[in-house]
Amino acid sequence: QVTLVESGGGLVETGGALKLSCAASGRTPSSFYMGWFRQAPGKERELVARILWASWSSNSTYYLDSVKGRFTVSRDNSKTTMYLQMNSLKPEDTAVYTCGIRDVSSLRYNYWGLGTQVTVSS
């Protein structure tokens, strides 16, 4: 079982920055993707960024087109923690941000955190 806990959300003005953290505990897969998702009211959940944890690969990452150049996903191996540095925030970034884990051999994210609210005021 894996437990994920997000932190770092809050209220920020347009153009501001926030750094989210997602700490994993428990028995994580040997190789897995850790992703940041977001869901705004009335919209579907979308994958914002993702990073690969695998001994055989460097930090492979993915970003949603709308956040490229503004968001940076990173990881701390010693803490099994993933971060999302969000710069130049826009009102459309307002959402609940949730982290998840999926084994590299799976198509589904099996473990989820409870989420943290990010609100960007205009």
Side-chain angles (χ1 to χ4, degrees), residues 48-106:
V48 176
R50 181 188 69 200
I51 192 164
L52 174 64
W53 297 66
S55 59
W56 42 265
S57 175
S58 59
N59 296 347
S60 173
T61 57
Y62 159 86
Y63 294 96
L64 185 67
D65 282 347
S66 61
V67 307
K68 286 181 180 177
R70 299 189 297 123
F71 291 11
T72 303
V73 63
S74 61
R75 71 188 207 193
D76 183 333
N77 292 346
S78 65
K79 300 178 181 179
T80 318
T81 299
M82 174 179 65
Y83 304 97
L84 186 67
Q85 177 67 48
M86 305 186 295
N87 298 328
S88 302
L89 283 162
K90 305 175 181 180
E92 50 263 44
D93 294 318
T94 295
V96 175
Y97 284 70
T98 306
C99 62
I101 279 180
R102 71 170 174 92
D103 191 290
V104 294
S105 63
S106 174

Side-chain angles (χ1 to χ4, degrees), residues 12-27:
V12 64
E13 294 183 346
T14 296
L18 284 173
K19 187 174 184 178
L20 306 183
S21 299
C22 173
S25 60
R27 192 170 184 175

